[in-house]
Amino acid sequence: MAVIIRPEQPGDEQIIHDLTVAAFEPMSFSDGSEAPIIAGLRNDGDLSVSLVAVSGGNIVGHVAFSPVTIGAESHGWYGLGPVSVWPEKQRQGIGSALINEGLAILRASGAKGCVLIGDPAYYRRFGFRSDGNLSYQDLPAQYVQSLLFGSESATGQMKFSPAFNR
Ligand SMILES: CC(C)(COP(=O)(O)OP(=O)(O)OC[C@H]1O[C@@H](n2cnc3c(N)ncnc32)[C@H](O)[C@@H]1OP(=O)(O)O)[C@@H](O)C(=O)NCCC(=O)NCCS
């Protein structure tokens, strides 16, 4: 079935919440904070890009991008996540379609790049790399990744929007 990627619209909030909970529930690393983080970003005006994947009229996936600070630089950098696909719809390319569309939107908007914390085995395919210049608390460097849109590199400590720390 064809999958359409479109921006979040009013009325999508509950299904985004439910699918985020369902996607992260089986993940051992999850503390259950992902759905409240998305709601917090939305309330704070920090949901810079919020896309849903629609298949057969149903929302089956979601990705959020929000502003991040890197070192002293607070403009032009965005963090990817949370990203979720309904468990029974995973491994059909929906997550990749959401991420690629979000990255294209950020790139077209003149952003400097995108950063994230996640499994390099998954994010490598989108061009994310860990070059050791970016850090997040005391996390091993391999999980702290960036995708540069221009010549400026992401160097320093990465700080997410306040909704990530409530
Ligand atoms: C991560 C997620 C959004 C990917 O969505 P998806 O629609 O299944 O992804 P795609 O179909 O585009 O890609 C699937 C590929 O990614 C791989 N993949 C998915 N999660 C992965 C992970 N954590 N590490 C490594 N590879 C992963 C799959 O093995 C598959 O690879 P293959 O095609 O070589 O078999 C989805 O698996 C999900 O919702 N997971 C639970 C929530 C989560 O972990 N979010 C990310 C937190 S960092």
Side-chain angles (χ1 to χ4, degrees):
M1 179 132 358
V3 174
I4 294 162
I5 308 294
R6 64 157 174 80
E8 169 188 322
Q9 293 171 359
D12 292 341
E13 298 87 349
Q14 187 63 47
I15 185 73
I16 290 172
H17 174 279
D18 293 351
L19 95 88
T20 302
V21 170
F24 278 93
E25 210 156 42
M27 309 309 288
S28 59
F29 61 79
S30 171
D31 60 2
S33 63
E34 297 84 6
I37 285 172
I38 296 168
L41 290 170
R42 191 182 289 116
N43 287 339
D44 294 351
D46 280 343
L47 208 41
S48 311
V49 177
S50 179
L51 302 175
V52 294
V54 182
S55 172
N58 299 312
I59 291 179
V60 293
H62 173 258
V63 67
F65 295 84
S66 56
V68 293
T69 301
I70 295 178
E73 186 62 70
S74 60
H75 291 289
W77 294 101
Y78 294 87
L80 190 166
V83 55
S84 308
V85 172
W86 206 263
E88 57 269 29
K89 298 285 183 183
Q90 291 178 6
R91 295 194 165 214
Q92 297 173 29
I94 296 170
S96 297
L98 282 162
I99 291 170
N100 282 324
E101 178 66 14
L103 293 173
I105 290 169
L106 288 178
R107 198 185 283 271
S109 77
K112 294 173 181 166
C114 186
V115 298
L116 60 82
I117 290 167
D119 188 339
Y122 183 59
Y123 292 104
R124 192 175 295 127
R125 69 192 71 195
F126 306 103
F128 285 90
R129 296 286 181 268
S130 172
D131 59 10
N133 293 327
L134 188 63
S135 54
Y136 183 74
Q137 298 173 356
D138 55 359
L139 218 65
Q142 71 194 85
Y143 297 110
V144 188
Q145 300 156 68
S146 60
L147 174 61
L148 312 179
F149 296 152
S151 55
E152 202 170 317
S153 78
T155 301
Q157 272 281 345
M158 161 164 129
K159 207 171 134 206
F160 288 99
S161 296
F164 282 85
N165 297 309
R166 291 196 182 115

